[in-house]
Amino acid sequence: MADQIPNTPKLDELEKGPWPSFVKEIKMAAKNSPMARDLLGVLELSYNEKIGHWKHGGIVGVMGYGGGVIGRYSDMPEEFPGISHFHTIRINQPSGWFYTADALRTLCDIWDKHGSGLTNMHGSTGDIVFLGCRTDALEPVFEDLTKAGFDLGGSGSDVRTPSCCCGPARCEWACYDTLALTYDLTMHYQDELHRPAFPYKFKFKMSGCPNDCVASIARADMSIIGTWRDDIQMNQDEVKKYADNGLNIQRDVAGNCPGKCMDWDGNELKIENEYCVRCMHCINVMPKALRPGKDRGACVLLGSKAPIVEGALLSSVLIPFWKPEPPYEDLKDLVETMHDLWCEEGKARERIGEFIQRVGMGNFLEEIGLEPLPEMVAHPRENPYVFYEEYYEEDDGDEGEE
């Protein structure tokens, strides 16, 4: 490919409009990077031919690790030699995505030295992603990252890099320390994170409150979402101020409550907390008047994934309320039991949520030793995968009378 930035009339169309474009960023990198210039060339060719020119996969990585690098090759190495190898490197991000400016400069210097200069900061997996590395540069990149205190993240059929929201570091609604739990799980599952041995990927994501800012309920195999089990804290004086300032509390707060557990008589807000579903709507609308309860912890959910073959799955409740306290051995013991069952019985590339769908939640719970609870179903009688055998045994006589 020529040293000049190629003409890309079709890609140029993607720079139009109000939103930032990845094309603009690749063009900036192309001023100094032959790999970025060839990347523009092959992308424009793909738009013209309507054919992709990437070959994914292959055994590629760094010594001692099985994950962290996603192999990618071009099927046109002669035309685009700069991207004949274009591997992706995932780097384990710090909890809550907090960096110093020096740390970011260090990462960029390492990548400018060895790779394309193109990065993707915290995509759907959460990691820092280095885009475009030749095979012979993988070990030097890993060596420099290690010296700078960074480690590779997860890729392939392993524990993926645990990630979380900023939690108590910046958010007053955090119901537990997401940062501490994420760091602990990352350290505990080092072997499972770097050496793929599962049927497929397994993701932990931690959200400090039910707002679920990291969308864990839709993206993580195990979602740990902060919640509370006592009453919502309420300041009636502040509620009144919201009303005096023009907020229609009956319409915009009580009327939008999914649990229909709130009532506003013009002077006092009443909440039937036993019907609260912890959606956070009222707290988000009136943050000075309402706060989560004082008895805080987390809800543990299991089984979500993005749509690939079987469609999207949202997590199901596994533990309605859990007190996250170091060293979190109770959670780790449960996860180990689930991993053993999934690894023994799961099919290749079958996420644990799909495995549960296949074997049934009732059978899954029995195998991991958890008692079924009403919170484990989305709606009464809608998910008949939990059977209360003892209940039916006790009421056998009553059923006959009905």
Side-chain angles (χ1 to χ4, degrees):
M1 196 74 192
D3 291 337
Q4 295 181 344
I5 297 176
N7 292 323
T8 55
K10 285 192 167 57
L11 282 177
D12 294 347
E13 291 295 315
L14 299 177
E15 293 186 273
K16 299 176 181 177
W19 302 103
S21 168
F22 72 95
V23 176
K24 178 182 177 182
E25 302 302 320
I26 297 176
K27 286 182 177 177
M28 289 176 60
K31 294 175 182 177
N32 301 311
S33 170
M35 298 179 77
R37 288 197 287 272
D38 277 1
L39 179 61
L40 286 171
V42 78
L43 285 175
E44 183 70 15
L45 183 64
S46 290
Y47 273 90
N48 284 319
E49 295 181 345
K50 298 181 175 56
I51 296 173
H53 288 284
W54 296 113
K55 299 188 294 183
H56 291 264
I59 303 300
V60 62
V62 299
M63 190 67 71
Y65 282 47
V69 179
I70 302 164
R72 182 176 290 112
Y73 300 91
S74 169
D75 67 356
M76 303 181 70
E78 292 79 15
E79 292 84 350
F80 303 102
I83 55 170
S84 56
H85 307 177
F86 203 73
H87 310 313
T88 293
I89 301 176
R90 285 185 175 157
I91 302 163
N92 198 325
Q93 81 284 356
S95 296
W97 305 304
F98 290 106
Y99 302 93
T100 64
D102 285 343
L104 290 174
R105 289 192 185 95
T106 299
L107 288 170
C108 290
D109 288 345
I110 291 171
W111 196 225
D112 284 340
K113 177 182 175 183
H114 297 290
S116 70
L118 297 171
T119 64
N120 178 0
M121 302 297 285
H122 313 310
S124 59
T125 301
D127 311 79
I128 306 163
V129 175
F130 285 174
L131 292 164
C133 184
R134 296 188 60 80
T135 303
D136 55 7
L138 289 173
E139 288 292 347
V141 172
F142 181 53
E143 183 179 351
D144 285 354
L145 286 170
T146 304
K147 289 178 180 176
F150 284 90
D151 195 4
L152 297 190
S155 71
S157 299
D158 58 14
V159 168
R160 295 297 180 85
T161 318
S163 65
C164 65
C165 68
C166 61
R170 296 190 65 186
C171 180
E172 60 185 315
W173 305 139
C175 295
Y176 74 100
D177 192 340
T178 55
L179 308 170
L181 178 58
T182 300
Y183 180 76
D184 188 283
L185 293 179
T186 302
M187 294 296 105
H188 182 79
Y189 290 106
Q190 283 290 290
D191 190 49
E192 289 84 355
L193 205 156
H194 294 308
R195 295 167 190 92
F198 292 162
Y200 203 14
K201 66 184 84 172
F202 189 91
K203 299 180 179 180
F204 291 100
K205 289 191 187 297
M206 277 58 74
S207 288
C209 79
N211 279 327
D212 194 13
C213 291
V214 293
S216 65
I217 197 171
R219 295 162 53 188
D221 296 274
M222 175 163 280
S223 314
I224 302 174
I225 302 175
T227 187
W228 64 95
R229 58 182 171 183
D230 54 351
D231 294 348
I232 293 175
Q233 300 182 70
M234 182 162 46
N235 184 325
Q236 292 287 359
D237 292 336
E238 292 293 341
V239 174
K240 191 69 167 52
K241 287 181 182 177
Y242 276 105
D244 293 341
N245 289 329
L247 177 65
N248 188 329
I249 294 178
Q250 183 59 41
R251 184 192 65 191
D252 298 333
V253 181
N256 288 327
C257 173
K260 305 301 179 189
C261 67
M262 313 186 78
D263 187 53
W264 168 249
D265 63 6
N267 291 305
E268 185 180 14
L269 181 68
K270 295 180 180 177
I271 303 176
E272 293 184 82
N273 280 275
E274 61 270 32
Y275 296 108
C276 172
V277 297
R278 312 298 194 267
C279 76
M280 290 289 289
H281 170 72
C282 59
I283 296 174
N284 292 332
V285 175
M286 299 192 296
K288 293 182 180 178
L290 303 175
R291 301 180 64 81
K294 295 180 180 179
D295 187 10
R296 299 180 181 185
C299 180
V300 181
L301 304 98
L302 188 70
S304 68
K305 72 173 192 66
I308 297 178
V309 178
E310 296 291 338
L313 284 176
L314 294 180
S315 292
S316 299
V317 172
L318 195 67
I319 304 174
F321 189 83
W322 172 61
K323 279 283 190 183
E325 295 175 349
Y328 315 107
E329 290 298 336
D330 49 350
L331 180 72
K332 292 170 186 171
D333 289 344
L334 179 62
V335 171
E336 183 177 349
T337 303
M338 291 191 303
H339 281 174
D340 287 347
L341 174 63
W342 179 44
C343 289
E344 182 70 24
E345 304 293 343
K347 298 179 179 179
R349 300 184 71 80
E350 182 179 52
R351 297 283 286 271
I352 195 165
E354 295 168 315
F355 171 66
I356 293 170
Q357 276 194 322
R358 178 165 63 84
V359 303
M361 178 62 94
N363 293 325
F364 180 79
L365 293 174
E366 185 176 350
E367 290 297 320
I368 64 172
L370 275 186
E371 289 293 322
L373 296 170
E375 290 87 348
M376 293 172 178
V377 299
H379 303 285
R381 299 180 180 84
E382 183 178 290
N383 303 72
Y385 50 67
V386 176
F387 299 97
Y388 299 90
E389 295 176 358
E390 294 180 2
Y391 173 81
Y392 286 123
E393 287 173 2
E394 291 174 359
D395 289 358
D396 278 349
D398 295 339
E399 286 183 358
E401 294 176 2
E402 293 177 356

